[in-house]
Amino acid sequence: MTVSIGVTGATGRMGGEILAAAADRDDLSVAFAVSRSPGESVEGVAVEDAADFADLLASHDPDVVVDFTGPASCIEYASACAAAGVAFVTGTTGLSEGGFDALREAASEAPVLYASNFSRGIAALRRAVREAVPALDGYDIELTETHHNAKRDAPSGTALTLLDDIDEARSSVRQTRSDDIDGVRGESERVHGREGDAPRSEGEVGVHARRAGDIAGEHEVLLAGNHESLSLTHRAGSRGVFAAGALDAAAWLADRDAGWYDFTEVLE
Ligand code: NAD
């Protein structure tokens, strides 16, 4: 049986990738696609008006909606899906804390899966970071991400996820040693770029966001100390990698119960 999907942001970069990738799969079919600039067709799929999203949900009754749009529309789409009991997969980044609260609220009525990055390589990078940080306790850490020149949010959602991973890994070391540095267990100070007289303080994590050309996404975690350095780098060769992961997530989420799900569960 094929899983039917609704696609939001269909005229965007990721929306187009999702429609192209879906056309190549026989386990999924596209029920409808929407955009706030409707009218054109993308990958042979007619793009309808985003204002009609709730009506389209009711008339097409898709199994899952796949969303790569913006923070405000992501929440609107998630709420509409929750009301209709339709599963929701989103990779939209730049959500505020309130935005995540609203997404989690939607998850009480329908299955919701959020991932700041849908690539398998990033999932492996996260595991490597969680292993390297405690193994190199006390080493300086700098995180650099690079994306295309139209990306809005900075640092990237993936960078924020990696920063949380670093904090969690540091926290586990400190709990083991039971020394709570600065009274803030595991929360590193995040220093976004440096300028002027800006020496590094112990324990801070430098965060650097570069924007150039059409780069799909690069993330490097650099750990240095003790006369050595370790650089863990992931490069996405194209957005197709994110689309493939998001569609795997949609196929996996289709028959789940309401709740909050993570991409790592799909990979496991
Ligand atoms: P884009 O600007 O090319 O496309 C965004 C689309 O969303 C456009 O069609 C736009 O019209 C639509 N949109 C934006 N705001 C809207 C609103 N208020 N109402 C209706 N439609 C709206 O962007 P993109 O490169 O496709 O990225 C989209 C999102 O996906 C970003 O948040 C980006 O960071 C994220 N992203 C996530 C992953 C991942 O793996 N999780 C990968 C790539 C991009």
Side-chain angles (χ1 to χ4, degrees):
M1 214 181 74
T2 62
V3 169
S4 70
I5 61 168
V7 178
T8 61
T11 53
R13 280 175 287 259
M14 277 306 298
E17 291 287 345
I18 291 288
L19 290 171
D24 284 342
R25 295 177 63 137
D26 47 22
D27 59 335
L28 296 165
S29 62
V30 177
F32 67 87
V34 295
S35 166
R36 61 181 170 178
S37 45
E40 50 186 292
S41 107
V42 176
E43 300 292 334
V45 177
V47 177
E48 308 196 52
D49 193 340
D52 299 331
F53 182 71
D55 292 341
L56 290 162
L57 271 187
S59 57
H60 291 274
D61 192 25
D63 297 309
V64 191
V65 163
V66 180
D67 168 80
F68 285 84
T69 56
S73 45
C74 166
I75 299 311
E76 282 167 28
Y77 292 137
S79 305
C81 284
V86 172
F88 189 69
V89 168
T90 182
T92 298
T93 59
L95 294 173
S96 63
E97 226 165 272
F100 278 113
D101 289 345
L103 259 195
R104 286 187 183 276
E105 203 177 306
S108 63
E109 292 177 71
V112 174
L113 190 149
Y114 164 80
S116 60
N117 196 299
F118 277 103
S119 98
R120 285 163 192 268
I122 285 288
L125 172 66
R126 292 185 60 192
R127 284 198 296 276
V129 166
R130 288 197 294 256
E131 200 162 310
V133 169
L136 304 177
D137 189 27
Y139 282 35
D140 295 333
I141 304 179
E142 297 277 310
L143 192 156
T144 304
E145 56 98 341
T146 310
H147 284 86
H148 56 90
N149 57 21
K151 183 165 177 61
R152 297 179 73 96
D153 53 313
S156 68
T158 307
L160 294 174
T161 300
L162 288 165
L163 288 165
D164 288 344
D165 289 336
I166 290 164
D167 280 352
E168 216 172 282
R170 279 186 160 169
S171 169
S172 68
V173 178
R174 286 164 200 187
Q175 273 163 0
T176 312
R177 290 200 322 234
S178 64
D179 60 349
D180 185 352
I181 295 171
D182 297 328
V184 187
R185 180 162 281 148
E187 275 259 324
S188 313
E189 187 196 352
R190 299 171 182 183
V191 176
H192 297 270
R194 292 188 185 85
E195 194 181 24
D197 185 21
R200 188 173 218 295
S201 65
E202 199 188 328
E204 78 181 35
V205 178
V207 186
H208 311 278
R210 306 191 300 175
R211 297 290 174 261
D214 190 36
I215 293 167
E218 295 181 4
H219 292 85
E220 182 208 37
V221 177
L222 171 70
L223 300 102
N226 193 29
H227 310 290
E228 61 177 348
S229 67
L230 171 67
S231 165
L232 300 167
T233 303
H234 175 266
R235 289 189 186 88
S238 88
R239 291 180 185 88
V241 69
F242 309 126
L247 291 181
D248 288 344
W252 180 89
L253 192 68
D255 55 2
R256 306 277 151 183
D257 294 331
W260 181 260
Y261 297 92
D262 193 271
F263 188 49
T264 53
E265 295 171 82
V266 179
L267 297 177
E268 280 156 14

